[in-house]
Every structure is written in structure tokens, then in C-alpha cells.
Amino acid sequence: MKAFSQLWSLQTLADLPDRLRNLWQELIGSYWFIPTVCVIAGILLAPVLVTIDQHFDRETVREISFAFTGDDDAARAIMTAIAGAVLGVAGTTFSITIAVLSMASSQFGPRLLRNFLTDTPNQFVLGAFIGTFSYSLLVLKSIHKYDVAFGVPQLAVTFGIIMAIICALLLVYFVQHMVHAIQASHVIQNASNDAINNIHSWYGGYCDIQQQRDVEQHDVEQFHQWQATPIYPPQSGYLQHIYLESLITLTQEYGGVVHLQSNLGDYVTDKNVIGHFYQRPTDHPNNRQKTATPQLAVVPRAPDGMFWQHFAGCIRIEQRLAHSNDIAYSLGQMTEIAVRALSPGINDPKTAVNCIQSLTSCLSIMLRRQPPSPYHFYIPKSNNSSEDEVKQKRLAILALVTHTPKISDFINLSLGEIRRYAAADLMVLKALCYAMVNLNYARVNSAQQQTLLHELNLIKRAGEENLSYQELIDDLVAMCDQAKQFVLDEDAQHQHFTYVSEFTANIRQALQSQSS
């Protein structure tokens, strides 16, 4: 209800598509939405088919080979059996779902439960069962004796039989689907797809890089010198969404720049300073711009009660960390699976290796893509639309500065976290070393190269300090040294990396000596 009420605020109209999309994701993510829709469909479908039955020729129905043509007692028996059977199967599917959720919570982590709850096939199967149950009850209510005007609703009973057969097939599909859903590879792949979608959302055309190239903007370096007002969140919790367009509109009304220093997924309290509002000086040239937007402040003003009320609607804070379009949250799901797989209770390093490979694929996309800009501008519409003015340099007013994590932060929060838990596992450390090599194929600048070299040094140090045998340490050190040489090679992106251990090299040399 809170989300619905915010949609009617004039302040949020600029971000209405994003808010509707988030609301739709919450509805789909809830376990009750699709089953409720199926129940409503069954409740509406029953009287519609009964009404059609009343105006349908009975002789024509008897000519249909698979149609029900029995009396009222047979119809009642069939619909009663269908209603009781599908309700019992619905309870069974719910019990299976609870058992799978319990196992997934212990093996993959509680934050992965949402992926099972939001699984559309599971929700649809449960909805089909209880929807068929609701339909059968209403059709059973409409079955009368032959001495009544309309008699048995034959088409409605026939459709109920068809729905029962479909429910039987859905039960088989549900069991097969759950068997695949609890596999670690399937869970990792779903988390990877979620992360890739978020990466495409943030690293796509969302950032107006071309606008920054076309516009001479000096406020980027100077706005920190303006009069600053601390910004406090309206409540404590996790920062889930930031509605940029609403914030840009708010900054233009008050003539300033909002600098947010907290990122999506951060936990904040109502006493935290999550940013500052920098009030534009009164002699700033942008204050004298005549635009077609009446809300644009000609004279900047300090934040008041209305500012804080509107700012509370521009961000969304939840008491629990839930799914959002945050890249770090999506990468953290795969990291959590890997960390739990390395725990003594599970001890499944192969699953951790699979998580590292999926994380490498996601990070490779980020290395190649243009990161989102932290600077967001407002381009006012001029009243004068002459051709001479169109040819002039566009005016862009700095409105919002957000916090953008660097690629090194994502690598440290994902692969770096796994490294800290896998310090005594040679298989996982080697997989991390290969991950740095694979990321090197996607790097585009020297800063990314230095990040990969730094991670290789940490992997080497972790192995030297935690591996049990000297042979294992020598093996890992040799691999890290070869990987560092490969990363430093300027032509490495056109070569194939293959680690050759000292033992393997000696065997090859011996074989070559024998053959010669």
C-alpha cells in the first residue's frame, strides 16, 4: 500500500516507469500473486462456462466424443473427486516447496530463498491446483436435477475434467522442475543471469557520457566549494532504490546539487550522513537562465521541510536487504554460495569453482563496458528554438552526483571474499588464479591490469601462509608467477595461457630426450 500511495505523488511522475517496474517485480516476487490470479480466474471462469451451457444445444454436446454427457449424480461425483484430488496435490506441492526451501537455506544461504519463491513455474503450478479447486466448487454448486430448467452444465464439467488432466501433467512437471532447481549449477546460473541483467541495465545506455563530452561543465570540480547541508535518511534500513529523475527534479526546484555518498545495498541509520545538498551561489550563471520549466529555481534556496518530504520519496529504504537492481547484491549471491560450499559442513570446493567461473563471466562484461557516470545533468528546454540557438553549445546544469563503485571494488567483494575463505584450498586458489588470467583478456586499461596483478599477489600470499605442504605452495607460486608474466605481456590478449608445472615440464623434457 505504501508503494501504491507513492505513485500518486506529483514528485514521482518523472520516475513513474521505474516505480511501476519495481512494484511489478515485487508483485511477481511475492509467492501469493500468481496463485491469487489463478484463483480469481477459476472463480470467474466457472459462471461463464455455466452460462454458456445454459444457451448451448445439448444435442450438439452429445456429438462431441470427449464431452461429458452423464447425469447429475455422475457430474457431482466427478467434480467432487477433482476438487478433493487437486486440493490434496496442492498440499503435497506446498510441502515439497517448504522442504526444498529448508534445504536451500542451509546449503546455499537464506538470501537465495527469493530465487525459489519467485520461480514462476512453481507459483503457476500451485495456482493451477487451487484455481482448479475453486472452479470445481463453483461448478459443483451449479449442478441441478434434470427436472430443473437447465440440468447438468456439461461443458463446464468437461472443462473441469480437462483441467484435472492438465493438473496431473503439471504435477509431473513440478517434480522434474524441482529436481533441477535444487542443483547447485542451476542456482548459480540463475544468479549469474540476474547479475548480467543488472550489469546491462547499469552499464548500458543509462549513462549520458556523450552529453558530458558535448557540454562544458565546470561545476563538477567546483560544487564542493558551495554551501553544504548534510542529508540524513528518513529512516534506518537498507538503501534499495534511488529514483534519479525525481532527485534531479528536486534539485532544480531548490537550485543546487545533491551528492549521494551511499550506494545501493548500504545499511544506513537515520543519524547517518548519506550525502550533502550543495546550494548554488546566487551569482551563478545558471540561476539567470530563462527556461520553459517554471519549477526551475532562479534564486537558490536552502532545504526546508518540503525538501526533506520530497527527498524521502526519491529514495527507498527497506528494513531487510531484498532483491534490487544492485550489481553487488547479485554478485554477492554467487559469493555466498561459494563461501558456504567451502565451509567444513558442506566441503564442496567444486561448487566454489563454478561460482568463480560465473563471477568471472560477469566481471568480464563489466571490464569491457563503459561504467555509469556519477554525474547527472539537467538540460532545460529553452523558450527560443531558433536555428542559431540550436547550433550553440548545449546548456547542462549539474543536478546529481551519485556513488559509483569501481571494478576493483566488485572484484574485491566477490572473488576477493572467496579468496579469504579458500586460503587453504589449492583447487579454489588455482581457480582464482585462472580467473585473473581470464579477466586479463577483457581488460582495457592499465588500472585494470594493476588490479589483476594485486589480486594475484594476494592469492600467492594466501597460499604461502595457509597451504599445508611445500609442494602445494611451490605449485601455486609457480602458477601465480606465470599468470603475472602473462598479465604483464602487452600481447597477452592474443595468446593462450596454459600453466605448466615444474613436474610436468620435467616429464615433457624426459619424453623428448627419449624420443630423440
Side-chain angles (χ1 to χ4, degrees):
M1 295 302 296
K2 179 181 178 181
F4 275 110
S5 63
Q6 289 181 348
L7 294 178
W8 298 102
S9 174
L10 294 177
Q11 185 68 27
T12 63
L13 289 180
D15 284 300
L16 188 59
D18 291 338
R19 295 176 185 271
L20 290 175
R21 189 184 309 112
N22 293 333
L23 181 60
W24 175 251
Q25 290 178 353
E26 289 184 7
L27 290 176
I28 293 297
S30 61
Y31 197 67
W32 58 269
F33 180 71
I34 293 181
T36 301
V37 172
C38 293
V39 171
I40 296 175
I43 292 175
L44 296 178
L45 189 61
V48 170
L49 289 180
V50 171
T51 303
I52 294 176
D53 253 311
Q54 295 174 357
H55 300 84
F56 207 78
D57 187 8
R58 303 262 173 206
E59 297 299 329
T60 305
V61 175
R62 291 188 177 92
E63 295 178 359
I64 302 175
S65 58
F66 61 88
F68 174 79
T69 57
D71 58 4
D72 58 326
D73 293 331
R76 275 195 205 90
I78 290 175
M79 298 309 297
T80 301
I82 292 176
V86 295
L87 185 61
V89 173
T92 302
T93 57
F94 186 76
S95 301
I96 295 175
T97 303
I98 294 300
V100 170
L101 291 179
S102 177
M103 187 204 68
S105 177
S106 60
Q107 183 172 356
F108 303 120
R111 276 161 291 280
L112 271 297
L113 292 182
R114 180 191 176 277
N115 297 342
F116 291 91
L117 290 175
T118 58
D119 193 6
T120 303
N122 291 346
Q123 298 179 9
F124 180 76
V125 169
L126 180 61
F129 290 153
I130 59 179
T132 302
F133 172 75
S134 304
Y135 172 85
S136 302
L137 287 183
L138 294 180
V139 173
L140 186 63
K141 174 179 174 295
S142 64
I143 297 177
H144 305 289
K145 293 288 185 179
Y146 272 113
D147 56 352
V148 183
F150 302 110
V152 179
Q154 297 175 340
L155 288 179
V157 175
T158 302
F159 187 77
I161 297 174
I162 296 175
M163 292 178 64
I165 296 174
I166 294 175
C167 288
L169 297 176
L170 287 176
L171 177 61
V172 178
Y173 166 77
F174 173 78
V175 174
Q176 184 265 349
H177 178 74
M178 294 303 292
V179 169
H180 288 282
I182 61 178
Q183 295 179 4
S185 58
H186 184 81
V187 177
I188 296 171
Q189 184 60 43
N190 288 340
S192 177
N193 294 336
D194 192 13
I196 291 175
N197 291 335
N198 289 335
I199 292 172
H200 288 319
S201 175
W202 283 100
Y203 281 65
Y206 185 81
C207 166
D208 197 356
I209 297 296
Q210 187 65 31
Q211 173 180 297
Q212 298 181 53
R213 295 172 180 170
D214 295 345
V215 178
E216 294 182 0
Q217 180 53 250
H218 303 289
D219 291 343
V220 172
E221 293 83 14
Q222 299 177 358
F223 76 91
H224 288 97
Q225 303 174 5
W226 301 347
Q227 180 181 353
T229 302
I231 295 178
Y232 300 93
Q235 62 182 8
S236 301
Y238 294 94
L239 185 60
Q240 290 294 107
H241 295 287
I242 300 175
Y243 298 106
L244 302 179
E245 294 298 329
S246 297
L247 277 174
I248 292 175
T249 303
L250 180 61
T251 57
Q252 293 311 304
E253 291 181 359
Y254 284 81
V257 175
V258 170
H259 184 197
L260 291 180
Q261 296 166 322
S262 295
N263 194 29
L264 291 178
D266 291 347
Y267 182 82
V268 297
T269 66
D270 54 357
K271 299 297 187 295
N272 283 50
V273 177
I274 63 173
H276 291 84
F277 175 79
Y278 293 92
Q279 183 177 333
R280 193 179 297 116
T282 55
D283 58 348
H284 196 279
N286 286 344
N287 296 332
R288 297 190 294 270
Q289 298 295 332
K290 303 298 182 182
T291 68
T293 306
Q295 291 84 4
L296 182 63
V298 177
V299 179
R301 52 196 173 114
D304 52 12
M306 190 62 66
F307 176 89
W308 302 117
Q309 181 179 354
H310 287 170
F311 178 81
C314 295
I315 62 174
R316 184 176 178 185
I317 297 178
E318 297 290 346
Q319 298 301 319
R320 59 183 181 88
L321 187 60
H323 178 270
S324 65
N325 57 349
D326 181 18
I327 299 176
Y329 181 87
S330 302
L331 297 178
Q333 289 184 323
M334 288 178 280
T335 303
E336 183 175 0
I337 296 175
V339 170
R340 282 184 171 265
L342 293 172
S343 64
I346 299 178
N347 193 18
D348 185 12
K350 189 61 178 179
T351 297
V353 172
N354 293 338
C355 293
I356 293 172
Q357 295 167 348
S358 298
L359 286 169
T360 304
S361 300
C362 299
L363 294 171
S364 298
I365 299 176
M366 299 172 66
L367 287 172
R368 284 287 184 180
R369 302 285 289 272
Q370 176 67 43
S373 172
Y375 303 105
H376 304 271
F377 299 90
Y378 171 78
I379 297 188
K381 297 180 181 179
S382 177
N383 292 326
N384 187 5
S385 59
S386 62
E387 296 182 359
D388 295 336
E389 186 172 350
V390 173
K391 296 179 181 179
Q392 295 178 358
K393 201 75 170 179
R394 293 186 300 169
L395 172 68
I397 301 176
L398 182 63
L400 177 63
V401 181
T402 56
H403 175 72
T404 303
K406 300 183 292 294
I407 185 64
S408 58
D409 299 330
F410 289 115
I411 292 177
N412 181 59
L413 291 174
S414 56
L415 298 179
E417 192 70 21
I418 298 176
R419 167 178 44 80
R420 287 184 279 273
Y421 281 88
D425 195 309
L426 181 62
M427 178 191 298
V428 181
L429 291 177
K430 279 189 172 183
L432 289 171
C433 189
Y434 269 115
M436 298 302 116
V437 173
N438 293 330
L439 291 177
N440 183 68
Y441 287 106
R443 70 172 179 86
V444 294
N445 53 48
S446 58
Q448 296 174 354
Q449 182 188 46
Q450 294 301 319
T451 300
L452 300 181
L453 292 174
H454 177 67
E455 286 295 324
L456 285 173
N457 290 330
L458 293 177
I459 295 171
K460 178 180 177 181
R461 182 177 176 182
E464 291 175 340
E465 295 179 355
N466 295 278
L467 290 178
S468 303
Y469 303 103
Q470 187 62 38
E471 291 80 1
L472 303 181
I473 296 176
D474 295 340
D475 189 18
L476 179 65
V477 169
M479 183 176 184
C480 290
D481 291 339
Q482 293 184 24
K484 288 172 63 177
Q485 295 177 3
F486 183 80
V487 172
L488 289 172
D489 190 356
E490 295 298 331
D491 195 43
Q493 294 179 340
H494 302 91
Q495 300 177 11
H496 176 68
F497 174 81
T498 302
Y499 166 62
V500 180
S501 63
E502 183 179 359
F503 176 78
T504 304
N506 294 333
I507 293 296
R508 289 182 179 178
Q509 185 178 3
L511 292 176
Q512 290 176 0
S513 300
Q514 292 178 2
S515 61
S516 61

